[in-house]
Amino acid sequence: MSALTHNEITALLLALGLLLASARILGETAQRLNLPSVLGEILAGILWGPTIFGALAPEWSAFIFPAQGGGALAFDGLTTLAIALFLLVAGLEVDLTTVWRQGRVALWVAIAGMILPFSIGFSVAWWSPEWLGYQPGVPHLPFALFMATILSISALPIIAKILMDLNIYRSDLGVTIIAAAVFNDLLGWLVFAMILGMLGVNQGIPLAHTLWITLVFTASMLTVVPWCIHRLLPWIQAHTSWPGGVLGFAFSFCLMTAAFTEWIGVHAIFGSFLAGVALGHSSHLRERTRATIDQFVSFIFAPLFFASIGLKVNFSEQFDLVLTLTILLLAVTGKVIGSACGGRLGGLVWRDAFAVGFGMSAQGTMGIILGVLALQMGLISHQVFVALVVVALVTSLMSGPLLQRLLGLRKARRFCAHVGAKTFINPLTAYSKDGIIMELATAAAEVVDVDVATISHAVRQRERLMSTGIGRGLAVPHARLPELTEPVVVVGLSHGGVDFDSPDGLPAQVICLILTPVQDDGAQLEILADIASTFKIKEIREKVGGVSNFTEFLALVRSGQGR
Amino acid sequence: MSALTHNEITALLLALGLLLASARILGETAQRLNLPSVLGEILAGILWGPTIFGALAPEWSAFIFPAQGGGALAFDGLTTLAIALFLLVAGLEVDLTTVWRQGRVALWVAIAGMILPFSIGFSVAWWSPEWLGYQPGVPHLPFALFMATILSISALPIIAKILMDLNIYRSDLGVTIIAAAVFNDLLGWLVFAMILGMLGVNQGIPLAHTLWITLVFTASMLTVVPWCIHRLLPWIQAHTSWPGGVLGFAFSFCLMTAAFTEWIGVHAIFGSFLAGVALGHSSHLRERTRATIDQFVSFIFAPLFFASIGLKVNFSEQFDLVLTLTILLLAVTGKVIGSACGGRLGGLVWRDAFAVGFGMSAQGTMGIILGVLALQMGLISHQVFVALVVVALVTSLMSGPLLQRLLGLRKARRFCAHVGAKTFINPLTAYSKDGIIMELATAAAEVVDVDVATISHAVRQRERLMSTGIGRGLAVPHARLPELTEPVVVVGLSHGGVDFDSPDGLPAQVICLILTPVQDDGAQLEILADIASTFKIKEIREKVGGVSNFTEFLALVRSGQGR
């Protein structure tokens, strides 16, 4: 039986460990800078790949990330599995009922947003293929179809993430964008499946067969199969251990549909995406099962896959600015104008129609995944691949800010973003409300240019109107100060507890002083709401008394975000 | 860059899907029969391996589970990863403080329980190696050391599972057994690491170096590293997204320590086991993070690994009864007598000392893992491998029942084990307490040989003593009946609610009638407690009104077990 050698195992484990660690670190850094984490993950791969580490230490690089041999094959198997599982999660996010609900507008957006960039992409790739980096010898029709598809595809997971960040995921506009993106995704994958069929990746199955099998399979995965799964899941949960039964079912179902689509000649990930759609449709799939799958895949497998992209190509050598800009221009104009026209035809006002267009323009992960497949099949050159990755990243980076600017939105504020080590007091020593306010105001005065008396006066005045003890041991004295430009929050822990006239009569043990500018753009309200909802979590309330420093406090409070 | 072919990907995904599905199904079946799930998982592999499927359909088998080529290498890489992650979870279960707390007895048990079987195993393997299936040409000293180690190793995860099932995991005796097993595991792995060093698996590093690096590494993973991790975790949780930061850290740490131990010449899984021990020691690692890791590994990776064992060998052709019985005899007598003597020396009475011995005799997963490694290195023949797997399974199967018999223990009863489709009434139609009791008694009378009047009379009499409405919409009328031999539970849902004089004044909507034999061995109390704790979970209380049949009810109630 073929087995990996001792050195191959060492290298494989080391490669996985290094890639995962750096992908997570750079992914977190990207998020901190309000960029999509996929950017940091790909960057991690570029660092370890031929672009940087491979150029600096070619021998080490050849040992840890071998291009040939057993280790490379095992690594390839793992990334194939990783991307199949990532598409399972992407499929789980698709809500079919949403698509039908916002159906009319979404359909217009999806169709117009697909047809325009597809036609533009196809025309250019057909009549001026050299503009898009066409290599002689590559079959022309599949190449043109591929470039057309990649210019017209959207990235459902990225779009969902952007809309959630902007807090408009559940709004009408958000639902329209998501529904259009779902439709767009399904359509895009179907076209891509046909390209693969044309290339005869499947050995022996004629193209016509691949096509009709794909259509029948897709149709049943959207209708009959979800119906069966919805009926099967309660039975599985009743008769197997929880959550092992459901997890095992979800994964083996995903793997088998992936094997099936790979076998008929369209790619494995099309099958796992549809498996996710079919599974996610059932309301019997519990939130916690979804969360377990999602966490594992998003934080372990997805970073590994995206990091592996950077390993494939030398990004500095193969970067072609003109090519990248051409593709970027075609991708953005076609997608934005097409989708906006679709939205207008569906009855939206122009502003909303363009918002939809900007929302749909994020190519993100899907563009990259299709690029990887095309590269593997020799359909595109390394230059085109690098250009596609860059375009996917740039469109993902632009989409959020453009949408935000156009609609005048912002991200939801979190209170802990305004607390620092200097504005965290543990323990508070005063016994009275006024004493506590003075203590908190003193800490606040150290970080802003306002004197203690002004702060405490403003807070006490507000307090006189109505007490800010809101119960469950929490009090939120607050004030607006004309001198401020940014909100400041001071958190103090009183171990004995201080009476803040709470409705439930309990003494306050966590006191958060919130100071905001006069023109605060809703910051005070948002911070108040965030504090209240954070301390609504029983575990956080119980454990907050035990934290010994600011870092532990932050760790505790942020753990509530995952719920 | 080496990549898997279209056919290899199809086969790999199909193989994973089939193995996972059948391993989960047979694993669940085994659990249903009160057997360890690992038995079912290995059986799934035997079904798909050369023993059965390979013999029936050799061509299909060669396609799906190839022994050579890229697919086989990718599969090998995946199972290597799977077993490394499984050992991470096994390590997480080790509680170092437990070991120190029950230190003295545990140390005696661990040492005596290691020395006796080790000496027996070594003596036999050294002087009569042919009894243990020694093949000429294999280095004799490593072979003897390996057989001695495998006869003296315990399986921490299996032992922990058995003790939890018997509800004595937190008792003094349970803690002693666990502590001894932890010690035993560490010692066993250390010896095994030395054997690997002797075999010169590491190319270039001399044996002496491997030995002292292993010792220094182990010592630091048990002392300095846990200390650092305990200080690092709050920082990670404070400054990264949750739970992505911690998960990423845990896995990349595990992968890198695994790569390190593989590199120095002891196996990767020794590193990931110690990584688990070091991580698990920190109280900052949240329960939910542990649960996410544990669920994913136990339900996805572990089944895949154990199923892959069955693929390696033809279990019917290579089965040698005499060899198996010899190894079994040596393993059990050495381990039980050694550990029992250790326990006695540590101050236990003989009964408890033998209980410890039986507890320690489960070789389970560890025996199998060591067997796989030894087979890969050509240290043992296929016959010995099959014998080791069988011995590991038999000892795991015996350990629980023997312990149970000796201590007169039983498993905790669950109320849903006594409810059937016939004894689930939805909705109840009566409006009064007496009417409801009559309705429930009627259903009970259908499944037991007692008439309705007798049942309802007994229940009403009990009800007159004190009402059985226990609040939160739950009522538990109950009675002991001399006619019964087994407990019977009838569950009825009243959508309008019926007054049961609950302390909180709320009408009862879930009414569970509990009928037990007069000599019920505590069954009534256990079932009552189980019902109360099940419906203490808010989600279950809220959703129970919406279930439409018995299967959905069972699914809901069992989902509470995972919490």
Side-chain angles (χ1 to χ4, degrees), chain A residues 2 6 32 67 76 239 241 262, chain B residues 2 6 28 32 67 239 262:
Chain A
S2 300
H6 164 66
R32 198 49 73 83
D76 189 50
H239 297 286
S241 59
E262 180 78 32
Chain B
S2 299
H6 165 65
E28 289 286 343
R32 199 49 73 84
H239 297 286
E262 180 78 31

Side-chain angles (χ1 to χ4, degrees), chain B residues 337-378:
Chain B
I337 296 174
S339 304
C341 292
R344 190 80 187 90
L345 285 171
L348 298 179
V349 299
W350 273 115
R351 196 191 70 148
D352 286 2
F354 266 99
V356 170
F358 287 141
M360 297 286 288
S361 71
Q363 272 191 0
T365 46
M366 294 299 153
I368 293 169
I369 292 165
L370 289 193
V372 171
L373 296 180
L375 180 69
Q376 275 172 357
M377 292 180 305

Side-chain angles (χ1 to χ4, degrees), chain A residues 125-359:
Chain A
W126 189 252
W127 282 293
S128 314
E130 64 287 355
W131 290 12
L132 298 176
Y134 175 71
Q135 291 171 302
V138 172
H140 197 175
L141 181 61
F143 173 79
L145 283 173
F146 169 74
M147 290 310 292
T149 310
I150 206 152
L151 291 180
S152 52
I153 204 150
S154 293
L156 187 60
I158 293 278
I159 293 178
K161 184 76 176 29
I162 291 172
L163 297 178
M164 281 179 206
D165 280 352
L166 293 173
N167 232 338
I168 54 170
Y169 189 67
R170 308 270 165 208
S171 71
D172 271 4
L173 201 64
V175 171
T176 306
I177 297 178
I178 284 291
V182 169
F183 200 83
N184 190 297
D185 251 28
L186 288 176
L187 223 60
W189 280 106
L190 216 56
V191 175
F192 190 69
M194 288 174 192
I195 300 174
L196 288 174
M198 255 178 223
L199 286 172
V201 176
N202 49 326
Q203 289 134 0
I205 304 176
L207 174 60
H209 283 211
T210 300
L211 287 184
W212 75 254
I213 295 176
T214 307
L215 283 173
V216 170
F217 174 73
T218 309
S220 60
M221 287 296 276
L222 297 177
T223 51
V224 189
V225 177
W227 187 88
C228 296
I229 287 177
H230 188 67
R231 263 133 208 90
L232 192 59
L233 278 181
W235 189 90
I236 292 176
Q237 293 182 353
H239 297 286
T240 62
S241 59
W242 193 87
V246 189
L247 283 180
F249 171 72
F251 281 87
S252 47
F253 177 64
C254 162
L255 289 167
M256 285 193 244
T257 48
F260 178 76
T261 49
E262 180 78 32
W263 175 68
I264 60 173
V266 301
H267 198 274
I269 54 186
F270 184 61
S272 65
F273 175 72
L274 286 178
V277 176
L279 274 167
H281 189 58
S282 172
S283 55
H284 290 306
L285 191 72
R286 281 167 211 285
E287 272 313 312
R288 256 190 88 177
T289 314
R290 281 177 210 258
T292 303
I293 299 177
D294 185 40
Q295 286 171 4
F296 220 83
V297 173
S298 310
F299 294 126
I300 306 294
F301 285 108
L304 278 178
F305 170 75
F306 289 114
S308 77
I309 289 167
L311 295 180
K312 289 184 199 293
V313 179
N314 188 322
F315 275 72
S316 64
E317 262 178 29
Q318 305 287 343
F319 181 69
D320 180 335
L321 184 65
V322 178
L323 178 67
T324 308
L325 286 178
T326 312
I327 295 180
L328 182 65
L329 191 76
L330 291 177
V332 175
T333 49
K335 196 76 195 172
V336 173
I337 296 175
S339 304
C341 292
R344 191 81 188 89
L345 285 171
L348 296 180
V349 297
W350 273 116
R351 196 193 68 149
D352 286 1
F354 266 98
V356 171
F358 287 141

Side-chain angles (χ1 to χ4, degrees), chain B residues 466-478:
Chain B
M466 204 183 86
S467 175
T468 57
I470 58 175
R472 308 192 201 224
L474 185 63
V476 281
H478 51 269

